[in-house]
Amino acid sequence: MGTLFKNGTVVTASDMVQADVLVEGEKVVLIGQNLPTQGHEVINCEGKYLMPGGIDVHTHLDLPFGGTFSNDDFDVGHKAAAFGGTTMHIDFVNQPRGGSLHDGLVTWREKAKPSQIDYGFHMIISDLRDDVMDEIPSLLDEGITTVKLFMAYKGVFQIDDNTLYKAMQVAAKHGMIVMVHAENGDVEAQLRSQLLAEGKTDPIYHYSSRPPEIEGEATNRAVVLAGLTGCHLYVVHVTCIPAIDALRRGRQLGYPVMGETCVQYFHVTRDHHLGAPGFEGAKYVCSPPVRNEEHHQALWQAFKDDTLQAISTDHCDFWYEGGVGPWQQWEKDHKGGQWAEYEKQDPTYRRPGKELGKGNFAKIPNGMPGIEDRMMVMWELGVNSGKFSPSRFVELMSTNPAKIFGCYPQKGTIAPATDADIVVWDPNAKHTISASTHHMRCDYNVYEGMQVTGVPQQVYLRGKRIVDGNIWLGKNGEGKYVRRIPNAPVL
Amino acid sequence: MGTLFKNGTVVTASDMVQADVLVEGEKVVLIGQNLPTQGHEVINCEGKYLMPGGIDVHTHLDLPFGGTFSNDDFDVGHKAAAFGGTTMHIDFVNQPRGGSLHDGLVTWREKAKPSQIDYGFHMIISDLRDDVMDEIPSLLDEGITTVKLFMAYKGVFQIDDNTLYKAMQVAAKHGMIVMVHAENGDVEAQLRSQLLAEGKTDPIYHYSSRPPEIEGEATNRAVVLAGLTGCHLYVVHVTCIPAIDALRRGRQLGYPVMGETCVQYFHVTRDHHLGAPGFEGAKYVCSPPVRNEEHHQALWQAFKDDTLQAISTDHCDFWYEGGVGPWQQWEKDHKGGQWAEYEKQDPTYRRPGKELGKGNFAKIPNGMPGIEDRMMVMWELGVNSGKFSPSRFVELMSTNPAKIFGCYPQKGTIAPATDADIVVWDPNAKHTISASTHHMRCDYNVYEGMQVTGVPQQVYLRGKRIVDGNIWLGKNGEGKYVRRIPNAPVL
Amino acid sequence: MGTLFKNGTVVTASDMVQADVLVEGEKVVLIGQNLPTQGHEVINCEGKYLMPGGIDVHTHLDLPFGGTFSNDDFDVGHKAAAFGGTTMHIDFVNQPRGGSLHDGLVTWREKAKPSQIDYGFHMIISDLRDDVMDEIPSLLDEGITTVKLFMAYKGVFQIDDNTLYKAMQVAAKHGMIVMVHAENGDVEAQLRSQLLAEGKTDPIYHYSSRPPEIEGEATNRAVVLAGLTGCHLYVVHVTCIPAIDALRRGRQLGYPVMGETCVQYFHVTRDHHLGAPGFEGAKYVCSPPVRNEEHHQALWQAFKDDTLQAISTDHCDFWYEGGVGPWQQWEKDHKGGQWAEYEKQDPTYRRPGKELGKGNFAKIPNGMPGIEDRMMVMWELGVNSGKFSPSRFVELMSTNPAKIFGCYPQKGTIAPATDADIVVWDPNAKHTISASTHHMRCDYNVYEGMQVTGVPQQVYLRGKRIVDGNIWLGKNGEGKYVRRIPNAPVL
Amino acid sequence: MGTLFKNGTVVTASDMVQADVLVEGEKVVLIGQNLPTQGHEVINCEGKYLMPGGIDVHTHLDLPFGGTFSNDDFDVGHKAAAFGGTTMHIDFVNQPRGGSLHDGLVTWREKAKPSQIDYGFHMIISDLRDDVMDEIPSLLDEGITTVKLFMAYKGVFQIDDNTLYKAMQVAAKHGMIVMVHAENGDVEAQLRSQLLAEGKTDPIYHYSSRPPEIEGEATNRAVVLAGLTGCHLYVVHVTCIPAIDALRRGRQLGYPVMGETCVQYFHVTRDHHLGAPGFEGAKYVCSPPVRNEEHHQALWQAFKDDTLQAISTDHCDFWYEGGVGPWQQWEKDHKGGQWAEYEKQDPTYRRPGKELGKGNFAKIPNGMPGIEDRMMVMWELGVNSGKFSPSRFVELMSTNPAKIFGCYPQKGTIAPATDADIVVWDPNAKHTISASTHHMRCDYNVYEGMQVTGVPQQVYLRGKRIVDGNIWLGKNGEGKYVRRIPNAPVL
């Protein structure tokens, strides 16, 4: 007895065909026409698209950051993701300063225990000592193919080019991918300290400290080093023309370089959002910063000519004001999830949020919510506008992520023997995005008020329905760790 | 009772998964794992790829040209195509001078009667009178979405920009595609007459009369006009850097422009082939001419960034020497096919070929064979070299052609309810390409001696096996006309 | 006894040095420090720049156009030019339809009789018959090195590519330069007739009929043909990004191609000027049309990287309303000049102007005044903004024109033995440009109200002062024809 | 009584005119026609070009480097320069490690005492401590407008981006120019150590350790930082496509960035010179390394579109074998000059040279001779080939250097009141370049055997003849220090 998805349109990265899909256990087993219904739970998918579950390859759940933690964790964040049609994400593990990579992994495995959807790990290297350089290849044994290095955050994560080069050589040798946060941290540090010294402390100066030029510069540098070492490079959160141009040049030279952008970089602007009056802009502080319209256009173009390969979220949300009131009330009213022990034990405790950066933009916790919105917003902006076909949408949201990060074809498509992560997508249903209805533990939504046409109606994780409209059917611990495989293709 | 392809790897434009494929009648009906075998003919596909049949969107079978005809017709040419893994092609109908578009169609339908594989038609407009302009939309009733116009062949096919612009407006209005042969015919005419006047008559001067610059110029012009009119443009046989650059610029501006190249433009060179001693170069005369290595590299890059979308052949073969001996002998020894009545009735008749252009490169019949070689050569050059994944190969050889030209998903993929045009591809089998073994009615092969790894083992047309190794199982008349639908996507 | 310019700063295309300049007869004879004053008329130039007289290489004086004539002729237009610091221009001779090139020359020589400043001729070829092709080289005997061909004005001036190619071959052989008006006339004709058919008759639709794309296309075409033939190409009135890009590409390939823009294309906009309410936009109708700000920026960049070499005016002015009142009154009140016999004899006659195009933008006489404004406006926009040094200004306004068009070093610089065409430029003097004060026979000024700092104080033509502040000191017939020499350098 | 240069062609950066030039004292006083000869020494310049003396803005005379010194000093090097038509150079002062900038200046003033031609100083900052940052503006008091920073030489000169950024801010504030040696030193260090570890020690591996990519990367970085700070940037010794492209991009964005290349980068190749058998390649070791032909072509193009502004030498010569024999003999046979005391006192001492790097390419002293060859070689390669006009030659060799580096119009042109640094250039004289005849203290010449047409016949320094054919007429101490002025234009 299986689940039979009847009469939907199966959408893969290349195909859209009317077909029935039979799932048995955790896997897709049959795709065909007029499959017999007896013995199966039948889901009527007439007028619906069946798409592989979204894969968000860039998230920071439960992340310690500047004296607080990002709000969403492997419980609440997972639910929110699934409500948005995402059934897998790859979260960034932080190597603890002074510790090993595996030390970080231990911590993240603990965080991940209540998981409700599938997940993988990237490894952030914060302290690239020689012994850590040697440790890198052992990540493959843990199913991790990706290390992330920072060209920014001087004095914290930032590495020099010599280290980056050597890490790339190691990665190249082992079929691993180097991910970089590409901004010139030296210049950023200088701009930041000068701005603060001049009393320029509002959120908008976050932008001034991280202009497109320094993202473009660092991207170019990483691309050149990847070309020299033959290392597969994946530039995270590309936001702007100079960075896109740098990647494009690299790809035209045949370098094995790839990149992603995040949903917000298509929509949120410096002028209207980050530059909003008062402290409002703090909601939109992330790094690199959001850019204006001309850069949004360049991003669309970058997908037209395959300069970029994927769209993620960099999901990392903090309270804007919510953290000021007792969390317990929010909790009761809303959404559950894990909390730190001290939070549980002290009902008066207020978890800090964006307000940490009042009077100093550099202390605003970086990041914003998005894991739930990604699929709907990109469908609205991309598919409904005619820029992406549904197949292209699937490719960017699910298939390319799975291929690049070494979990294809287990994930990323609908085909026999693949994991039955299936989204029943209603292309005609309408929804208004709002913090008042979203499932993320965040008191604002970046796309507040956006009307979208096209929403996930039901979501299946390895054959099990976990979302049905507004109802949550999943269970803690049912999300599984996805081991990933090296030598993935460069797309 | 159906045909069950067991244990192969199904390759679509995005996916490669191990699965069984069940075909019943003309259609794929099931794709799944461990499909039960009883009641079916079982084809063991272990270690094989199952790919959708190739679609060659640019052929000229049985084409009248300069006092002769291209050799391969809808019988022999179809067999050759199928032996190479191609199960559909789109042939160019010629509007007769002074006649209507439908007059041309009548002729081509007659030519197509013995068809062995499926086919569609593009319409070459040779005489774009006002009444013909009005006739264009009616082609949709015939399942034709594409008209081809010539910017070259001054005094014959060449149209002026005013006419091109108006035709594009008509096409845009009706969701049709304008295809152009893009070379500046005014300049070509001038160069040609000057070269001949200087006694430069050898095949290599064919190149001199059609330098890359004039292809680039005309391509740029067509691209700009498409941008202005919003017409979907498909530039046929793009060969060189300036033309690629023109298309790339257009696409970066968001113009709805696409293009193809042909297999030979990756391999055949001006210096070694067209410039071979004596009259040998005549074998490689086609327009635009073959280019040297730097242009080959640019073509690979053009597929990397999606500047081009498909790879066809411009198949149009003529005897090099074979036409000099009696065709009947060749016929008996080889391959069959249709012949003109006068050829049948006069055993001493010699169909003219490339020798028509001895002493005058401009009279060399333009074209070369390739319909049989396309899939194997591109697998060798593209997949085995690591430039294309098997999925990308399928996309360029079959899926994109079907999508662009409005016959997807009937054609172009393997999925439930699609035509069961399936190639069982053995990626490990080796073959040496040669005129002595090919099935095209031509006494030379452009890739003579090329060793390829990866060959079609069996070929199915709508569920019927037509090729089994070296054995032909098809039948005249079993090839069907494929009606195509307008408003196809721009890829 | 000579004229001694004392203590000025001599500005050439490369140098700015404090020096005295001694002129004797028509020539500069000495440049030095502390030249003895005795025996000379001494001009105190302290705080002034001494610059070579401006050369406007693109004018249409007394041009027959669509049932009227451009207002300024070789009398009034010359005075206006000189009041603006221009001491030489090159006017376009029109070959009469059906006549020879020399027929045109006869007419223009007649027009030029009252000349007040020096002048040369370009030859517009309107009817490129075979005998005219043969006639081209004989222009060198007349001191003409330049022929202008039109890619626009279908049915009137427009030539096909074959003719353009052949003309370029002839020019290349004889060291002549082909000038092109680069817009795709086929497309323009089509757009125009469709716009008019749709009742879109206002001046702004002039723009719609000539979008940047068709200028870019034609420019690219001319550039490619110049590259193929080795012909020196000079693209007149380049206005927009696509045209600039086409020239830039050509120059990067080493093609001998050059171009100019005109003053108005830096300042006048589609939106604010051409699109002004009512019929006001007619003032700004010229071809190619004025463009918006983004194209202005691209022009500045084109001078930064030497894509363009000169700045002219395309001066060709028509009454906006003035022609409606009796010309005699205007004449009396203002500025003199030649008039047609019938105008002189019929005091009620009203010479038609821009109003010819009321209700049909295509009938608006194309062109605007500028010959007087060119130097002041470009000084203001270029030098005062820091984009051009004074030397660069001289290079673009005088030296490059003289070099390209074969009259250097007679013209275009201040050096011993050169013609003493000298402008005493006061970089601190202020002036407000206005039709109420300008000397052109035109009832509007394109730069009306523009405040400029930097004006010609005195102007010398071959050693003779012709302008002193607001006073005219020249005489009819003192302007001389300048013979030009072939094989000029490509800049 | 002065010197009267009679009947030559005066060449400036924009003009070529036949004129007489009168020099009195150290200055040009008159330029005119038919100047009276009485009372003057008359130099017959018929058929000759009079050009401003060459200015070589990038030299390292008497430079301590890796345990030795560059051979040419302010005596011998100056003579050699003058024999080649160069009358001024700008040498790099090294800040001593731990010392101040002015400490370096003291040393270099001492070195410069025997000067025979004019000279200026750039300041190399090797140790950019905070106090040194503060010291920078005081260089203006010494007539120094330029500081040079290194992005390469990790652990020695290399600075981080933060420091570079701050230095650029200081320079921008004071109208100074930052010069950078642009190669990514982190990557170079890594490549170098890996190559040596692999036993790759031959000169050719010098290239492998410094591929074009790392020069392009660093250039891009410097350009972006200059754009952000508004600092005038001058990239020294640009050699390759990626670096040129980076500069070009910056200039297209309006950044105040400039660059030079050196003569050798047009001529010397990796394959034929650096890769010569045995240790021969050591002669051609410099950083960045010499590149192959495709990069040479890109350099020519970079001058076509003004991406680069000047051509220098980076003159820094070391013995190839000469150092092995006693220097005194060479001295006696050849050319004189200063020697270190220990060299003078120990006749058996052998000054080390290129052989220091036998067995380890990284120890080969970097640099090659060229100060004498620059003008002749660039005339041959640039002017005689038609790529540069004589005016353009003057611009790149003399005028632009003077303008950029703040000593124009004292230097860099021939005009009244300028220094009478005049080269009488015979454009028809032929010469074969060779170490056996050159005046540099070096036992090889990079252009050995090159036949040039166009040589300096006589050379004047501030009115005094110092070279007459092969005869040296100068005197130690007659070369003067040239103070330079800030806020020079960006060309």
Side-chain angles (χ1 to χ4, degrees), chain A residues 270-488:
Chain A
R270 180 193 62 181
D271 290 355
H272 296 115
H273 294 85
L274 192 57
F279 193 62
E280 179 85 10
K283 291 178 179 175
Y284 309 104
V285 166
C286 59
S287 298
V290 295
R291 313 290 185 187
N292 278 346
E293 174 66 17
E294 77 219 69
H295 298 284
H296 301 185
Q297 290 311 314
L299 286 171
W300 291 114
Q301 179 58 38
F303 284 99
K304 179 110 183 168
D305 68 4
D306 277 355
T307 299
L308 298 178
Q309 288 72 40
I311 300 171
S312 70
T313 60
D314 197 6
H315 178 85
C316 187
D317 56 354
F318 298 94
W319 294 123
Y320 179 60
E321 292 179 331
V324 176
W327 64 268
Q328 291 90 344
Q329 190 55 41
W330 190 90
E331 188 68 358
K332 199 161 65 182
D333 296 350
H334 297 71
K335 298 146 188 182
Q338 297 173 292
W339 295 94
E341 268 312 302
Y342 56 85
E343 291 179 295
K344 291 186 188 158
Q345 289 169 17
D346 177 1
T348 67
Y349 177 75
R350 297 158 186 241
R351 173 184 284 212
K354 292 282 187 182
E355 75 282 359
L356 283 170
K358 280 199 172 152
N360 182 342
F361 69 80
K363 295 197 171 161
I364 300 171
N366 274 222
M368 58 182 88
I371 200 169
E372 182 172 358
D373 311 313
R374 185 177 71 114
M375 303 280 279
M376 287 179 285
V377 171
M378 289 315 304
W379 185 274
E380 180 64 25
L381 300 181
V383 178
N384 290 342
S385 72
K387 294 192 187 79
F388 295 156
S389 67
S391 281
R392 181 64 169 151
F393 174 83
V394 164
E395 187 167 45
L396 298 173
M397 294 291 149
S398 181
T399 315
N400 279 358
K403 287 180 176 174
I404 293 170
F405 293 110
C407 55
Y408 175 90
Q410 179 191 350
K411 301 290 188 186
T413 193
I414 294 179
T418 63
D419 281 358
D421 299 337
I422 295 177
V423 178
V424 180
W425 189 269
D426 185 342
N428 298 310
K430 292 178 188 307
H431 173 65
T432 301
I433 294 178
S434 172
S436 66
T437 52
H438 74 204
H439 302 79
M440 298 179 287
R441 188 191 278 163
C442 192
D443 56 344
Y444 68 98
N445 187 295
V446 174
Y447 312 98
E448 187 69 35
M450 181 186 285
Q451 301 200 28
V452 299
T453 303
V455 299
Q457 192 184 58
Q458 292 167 316
V459 180
Y460 291 77
L461 177 72
R462 281 175 280 103
K464 180 169 185 312
R465 197 183 321 172
I466 58 175
V467 167
D468 195 348
N470 285 316
I471 302 167
W472 180 252
L473 301 169
K475 273 214 308 232
N476 282 125
E478 291 197 335
K480 286 191 187 162
Y481 178 66
V482 178
R483 298 179 62 83
R484 301 181 293 110
I485 295 172
N487 297 310

Side-chain angles (χ1 to χ4, degrees), chain D residues 51-294:
Chain D
M51 303 197 294
I55 303 176
D56 187 345
V57 298
H58 189 156
T59 64
H60 298 283
L61 298 183
D62 200 13
L63 178 79
F65 191 108
T68 184
F69 285 80
S70 65
N71 278 354
D72 281 311
D73 53 28
F74 284 74
D75 178 11
V76 176
H78 277 193
K79 285 183 204 158
F83 274 114
T86 288
T87 54
M88 176 180 169
H89 72 115
I90 312 183
D91 207 71
F92 283 92
V93 175
N94 275 24
Q95 173 199 14
R97 204 85 194 156
S100 73
L101 304 179
H102 285 77
D103 291 344
L105 207 44
V106 167
T107 304
W108 250 258
R109 280 188 183 132
E110 192 61 29
K111 288 178 188 281
K113 281 192 173 157
S115 287
Q116 309 245 22
I117 63 170
D118 288 358
Y119 60 95
F121 290 137
H122 304 296
M123 180 60 66
I124 286 177
I125 304 185
S126 61
D127 186 8
L128 192 31
R129 309 177 305 266
D130 284 355
D131 60 309
V132 174
M133 193 72 82
D134 294 342
E135 191 187 359
I136 291 175
S138 72
L139 292 172
L140 292 177
D141 302 332
E142 311 292 342
I144 295 177
T145 65
T146 37
V147 295
K148 182 178 176 188
L149 299 170
F150 288 82
M151 304 173 79
Y153 299 106
K154 189 174 175 70
V156 187
F157 291 118
Q158 185 174 329
I159 55 167
D160 67 11
D161 293 349
N162 193 291
T163 308
L164 178 56
Y165 187 87
K166 285 191 283 191
M168 282 181 166
Q169 286 187 314
V170 170
K173 187 173 167 189
H174 295 277
M176 299 175 76
I177 296 172
V178 166
M179 309 172 86
V180 294
H181 177 126
E183 292 183 290
N184 187 312
D186 273 39
V187 175
E188 184 276 329
Q190 188 59 19
L191 287 168
R192 173 168 27 96
S193 67
Q194 292 182 348
L195 288 160
L196 293 174
E198 294 166 12
K200 293 172 173 168
T201 62
D202 286 348
I204 188 64
Y205 294 108
H206 176 70
Y207 189 97
S208 311
S209 72
R210 310 184 95 108
E213 288 81 0
I214 69 170
E215 182 187 340
E217 187 285 308
T219 303
N220 182 71
R221 194 152 25 108
V223 163
V224 170
L225 268 57
L228 285 170
T229 57
C231 176
H232 293 194
L233 173 72
Y234 183 89
V235 183
V236 295
H237 47 46
V238 171
T239 74
C240 62
I241 294 168
I244 292 166
D245 285 350
L247 261 172
R248 186 177 283 127
R249 287 194 301 271
R251 291 176 64 86
Q252 286 177 349
L253 289 165
Y255 293 173
V257 296
M258 300 174 283
E260 65 169 25
T261 192
C262 306
V263 188
Q264 58 269 31
Y265 296 116
F266 288 105
H267 177 70
V268 187
T269 63
R270 179 192 63 182
D271 290 355
H272 296 115
H273 295 86
L274 192 57
F279 192 61
E280 179 85 9
K283 292 178 179 174
Y284 309 104
V285 165
C286 59
S287 299
V290 295
R291 313 291 186 187
N292 279 345
E293 175 65 18
E294 76 218 70

Side-chain angles (χ1 to χ4, degrees), chain C residues 146-167:
Chain C
T146 36
V147 295
K148 182 179 177 186
L149 298 170
F150 288 82
M151 304 173 80
Y153 299 107
K154 189 175 175 71
V156 187
F157 291 117
Q158 186 174 328
I159 54 167
D160 67 11
D161 294 348
N162 193 290
T163 308
L164 178 56
Y165 187 87
K166 285 191 283 190

Side-chain angles (χ1 to χ4, degrees), chain C residues 165-426:
Chain C
Y165 187 87
K166 285 191 283 190
M168 283 181 165
Q169 286 187 315
V170 170
K173 186 172 168 190
H174 294 278
M176 299 175 77
I177 297 173
V178 166
M179 310 173 85
V180 293
H181 177 125
E183 291 183 290
N184 185 314
D186 272 39
V187 175
E188 185 276 329
Q190 188 59 20
L191 287 168
R192 173 168 28 97
S193 67
Q194 292 182 348
L195 287 160
L196 293 173
E198 294 165 13
K200 293 173 174 168
T201 62
D202 286 348
I204 188 65
Y205 294 109
H206 176 69
Y207 188 97
S208 311
S209 72
R210 311 183 93 108
E213 288 81 359
I214 68 170
E215 184 187 339
E217 187 285 309
T219 303
N220 181 72
R221 192 151 27 108
V223 164
V224 170
L225 269 57
L228 285 170
T229 56
C231 177
H232 293 194
L233 173 73
Y234 182 89
V235 183
V236 296
H237 48 47
V238 171
T239 75
C240 61
I241 293 169
I244 293 166
D245 285 350
L247 260 171
R248 186 176 284 127
R249 288 195 300 271
R251 291 176 64 85
Q252 286 177 350
L253 289 166
Y255 294 173
V257 296
M258 300 173 282
E260 65 170 24
T261 190
C262 306
V263 188
Q264 57 269 31
Y265 295 117
F266 289 105
H267 177 71
V268 187
T269 63
R270 179 192 63 181
D271 289 356
H272 297 114
H273 295 86
L274 191 58
F279 192 61
E280 179 85 9
K283 292 177 179 175
Y284 309 105
V285 165
C286 60
S287 298
V290 296
R291 313 291 185 186
N292 278 345
E293 175 66 16
E294 78 219 68
H295 298 285
H296 303 186
Q297 290 311 314
L299 287 172
W300 290 115
Q301 178 57 39
F303 285 99
K304 179 109 184 166
D305 68 5
D306 278 355
T307 299
L308 298 178
Q309 287 73 37
I311 301 171
S312 70
T313 60
D314 198 5
H315 178 85
C316 187
D317 55 354
F318 298 93
W319 295 123
Y320 178 60
E321 291 181 330
V324 177
W327 64 268
Q328 290 89 343
Q329 191 55 43
W330 190 90
E331 190 67 358
K332 199 163 62 180
D333 296 350
H334 296 73
K335 299 150 185 181
Q338 298 173 292
W339 296 94
E341 268 313 300
Y342 56 84
E343 290 180 297
K344 292 186 188 156
Q345 290 169 17
D346 176 3
T348 66
Y349 177 76
R350 298 159 186 241
R351 173 185 282 211
K354 292 282 187 181
E355 75 281 359
L356 283 169
K358 281 202 171 152
N360 182 342
F361 68 82
K363 294 197 172 161
I364 300 170
N366 274 222
M368 59 181 88
I371 199 168
E372 182 172 358
D373 310 313
R374 185 177 70 115
M375 302 280 278
M376 288 179 284
V377 171
M378 288 315 303
W379 185 274
E380 180 64 25
L381 300 181
V383 178
N384 290 341
S385 73
K387 294 191 187 81
F388 295 157
S389 68
S391 281
R392 181 65 168 151
F393 174 84
V394 164
E395 187 167 44
L396 299 173
M397 294 292 148
S398 182
T399 316
N400 278 357
K403 287 180 175 174
I404 293 170
F405 293 110
C407 53
Y408 175 90
Q410 179 191 348
K411 302 289 189 188
T413 193
I414 295 179
T418 63
D419 281 0
D421 300 337
I422 295 179
V423 178
V424 181
W425 189 269
D426 185 342

